Amino acid sequence: MRQEGSSDGSHQGETLVEVRHLKKYFAVRGGLLQRVQGWVQAVDDVSFTIKAGETLGLVGESGCGKTTVGRTILRLIPATAGQVIFAGQDVFALNPTELKKARRDMQIIFQDPFSSLDPRMPVGDSIGEGLLVHGVRDRRQRHEIVIQTLDKVGLSPDHARRYPHEFSGGQRQRIGIARALALRPRFIVCDEPVSALDVSIQSQVLNILRDLQHEFGLTYLFIAHNLSVVEHISDRVAVMYLGKMVELADRDELYRNPLHPYTQALMSAIPIPDPSLRRERIILKGDVPSPLNPPSGCRFHPRCPVALEHCSRHEPEFRDIGNGHYVACWRVD
């Protein structure tokens, strides 16, 4: 068991997670024999890296494939193609024993803080279950780690004996964070961890995540659709649309200079706290196409306000245009 504060800055800046050409297609079956009639292209050729100690925000509309990316990276669902390299290991090539060992370093915080907890189990047992699975057999040692972890997320020792229904939504999400933190992982997928919470509680949970990152040297993939939340917590931000990555850049660069028309439309929807200022809103026409039958060429072109004829026929390359700013758009040169 790693001790508190054991993470140091010796690996800071090294690539911890590398996602290479990740694809995840879900089969659509029908008919009497339930034959495959099509494929939902939930994630289609996504690549990015996450450095040790940083937070990569992953944003996009509902259904764009954000959650599928996070769960596929952890092998909670099998990938269709691609590679995920974690700390030099190919996650998809690990056997069950190796994968169990690697999962100690890779955890997830789920979106729904209620359904992700067993309602028949005290929260202390839920938090300690991972410790038991990974070889911490001594009940007293597990209890001590659970109490320490609850304290880290702002809960008291007596909360360990209570059941999930006795907590508020914000408290349940703290329990979810504690469960992910108990094994002292290096990498955590945060799957919309504050989207179900009130705004006042969101800031508390985000501050807890930031404090834990600094204390334990954690690396986050932070999945969200709220761009204000992502701006607050992320070091770099990636934007997805219909299973594809369309833009990736440093947080300040992306919010100051969004280049992809989809990113520009998302940014225009962010409220400005000063009522005397107004931002020109970009309203996208039409609905998001189905990932079962995505458009040819650039997938955004049916809704793009500046699309060229070329966009409907040829898919743009996701390329670095300088300073680590990646974009997939024919309009950008």
Side-chain angles (χ1 to χ4, degrees), residues 27-75:
V28 177
R29 300 178 183 274
L32 186 62
L33 300 178
Q34 289 294 294
R35 290 194 174 99
V36 176
Q37 297 183 335
W39 296 90
V40 175
Q41 300 178 26
V43 178
D44 191 13
D45 197 17
V46 166
S47 299
F48 58 87
T49 61
I50 310 176
K51 294 179 181 179
E54 85 163 337
T55 301
L56 177 67
L58 185 58
V59 301
E61 292 172 288
S62 296
C64 71
K66 308 184 299 295
T67 293
T68 303
V69 167
R71 297 191 178 198
T72 307
I73 288 174
L74 300 182
R75 258 179 79 174

Side-chain angles (χ1 to χ4, degrees), residues 7 14 33 36 50 66 80 91 108 111 117 179 260 270 277 296-297 312 325:
S7 296
E14 294 181 2
L33 300 178
V36 176
I50 310 176
K66 308 184 299 295
T80 302
V91 175
I108 185 170
Q111 177 179 359
L117 295 170
R179 184 173 56 180
H260 196 281
I270 300 175
L277 299 176
S296 61
S312 62
H325 194 150

Side-chain angles (χ1 to χ4, degrees), residues 115-130:
S115 64
S116 61
L117 295 170
D118 188 338
R120 299 164 298 180
M121 185 182 289
V123 299
D125 291 350
S126 291
I127 296 169
E129 189 174 27

Side-chain angles (χ1 to χ4, degrees), residues 72 87 95 109 126 146 210 254 302:
T72 307
N95 62 40
I109 301 168
S126 291
V146 167
R210 290 284 293 272
L254 188 77

Side-chain angles (χ1 to χ4, degrees), residues 18-328:
E18 184 176 359
V19 178
R20 302 174 180 171
H21 307 290
L22 183 65
K23 294 185 180 182
K24 176 58 186 175
Y25 295 174
F26 293 97
V28 177
R29 300 178 183 274
L32 186 62
L33 300 178
Q34 289 294 294
R35 290 194 174 99
V36 176
Q37 297 183 335
W39 296 90
V40 175
Q41 300 178 26
V43 178
D44 191 13
D45 197 17
V46 166
S47 299
F48 58 87
T49 61
I50 310 176
K51 294 179 181 179
E54 85 163 337
T55 301
L56 177 67
L58 185 58
V59 301
E61 292 172 288
S62 296
C64 71
K66 308 184 299 295
T67 293
T68 303
V69 167
R71 297 191 178 198
T72 307
I73 288 174
L74 300 182
R75 258 179 79 174
L76 297 179
I77 53 177
T80 302
Q83 276 186 308
V84 173
I85 309 299
F86 174 77
Q89 291 183 303
D90 185 347
V91 175
F92 297 164
L94 299 178
N95 62 40
T97 302
E98 293 169 336
L99 180 62
K100 179 181 176 181
K101 184 178 179 181
R103 277 190 169 148
R104 216 181 153 135
D105 283 328
M106 303 185 297
Q107 293 292 309
I108 185 170
I109 301 168
F110 292 101
Q111 177 179 359
D112 187 343
F114 189 72
S115 64
S116 61
L117 295 170
D118 188 338
R120 299 164 298 180
M121 185 182 289
V123 299
D125 291 350
S126 291
I127 296 169
E129 189 174 27
L131 296 167
L132 181 62
V133 168
H134 286 276
V136 183
R137 301 293 180 187
D138 185 86
R139 182 184 294 271
R140 180 174 294 178
Q141 184 184 2
R142 285 203 311 274
H143 180 71
E144 288 177 357
I145 295 170
V146 167
I147 297 306
Q148 291 172 6
T149 308
L150 284 172
D151 180 66
K152 293 294 181 185
V153 298
L155 296 175
S156 61
D158 67 288
H159 285 142
R161 298 189 297 270
R162 299 185 187 178
Y163 289 83
H165 72 271
E166 300 180 67
F167 295 92
S168 67
Q171 289 175 318
R172 285 196 290 263
Q173 196 57 284
R174 290 171 190 244
I175 294 164
I177 295 170
R179 184 173 56 180
L181 184 67
L183 288 164
R184 300 298 184 263
R186 298 173 64 187
F187 173 59
I188 299 179
V189 174
C190 306
D191 184 11
E192 303 207 33
V194 297
S195 63
L197 307 178
D198 293 337
V199 174
S200 60
I201 306 301
Q202 285 184 11
S203 61
Q204 296 175 17
V205 172
L206 290 174
N207 288 334
I208 288 172
L209 290 172
R210 290 284 293 272
D211 292 343
L212 293 173
Q213 182 175 40
H214 293 151
E215 182 171 355
F216 297 108
L218 298 172
T219 303
Y220 293 145
L221 174 64
F222 191 91
I223 299 167
H225 58 262
N226 187 323
L227 287 164
S228 298
V229 168
V230 170
E231 183 180 16
H232 176 73
I233 197 169
S234 301
D235 298 301
R236 291 186 300 143
V237 179
V239 182
M240 281 187 70
Y241 180 81
L242 203 62
K244 290 279 191 182
M245 198 79 81
V246 297
E247 193 161 2
L248 169 64
D250 176 79
R251 175 194 60 194
D252 296 335
E253 167 69 15
L254 188 77
Y255 280 77
R256 182 177 62 249
N257 183 33
L259 296 177
H260 196 281
Y262 177 63
T263 310
Q264 293 170 356
L266 291 180
M267 295 296 181
S268 75
I270 300 175
I272 300 176
D274 187 344
S276 65
L277 299 176
R278 296 184 65 86
R279 178 184 282 128
E280 184 179 351
R281 181 76 189 274
I282 300 173
I283 305 296
L284 298 177
K285 298 179 179 179
D287 296 323
V288 180
S290 170
L292 184 62
N293 185 27
S296 61
C298 174
R299 294 192 175 183
F300 185 59
H301 86 264
R303 305 175 71 199
C304 181
V306 294
L308 305 167
E309 186 177 349
H310 187 74
C311 300
S312 62
R313 297 207 287 284
H314 303 281
E315 183 178 337
E317 179 188 0
F318 188 62
R319 58 196 174 90
D320 187 353
I321 61 166
N323 297 322
H325 194 150
Y326 289 80
V327 65

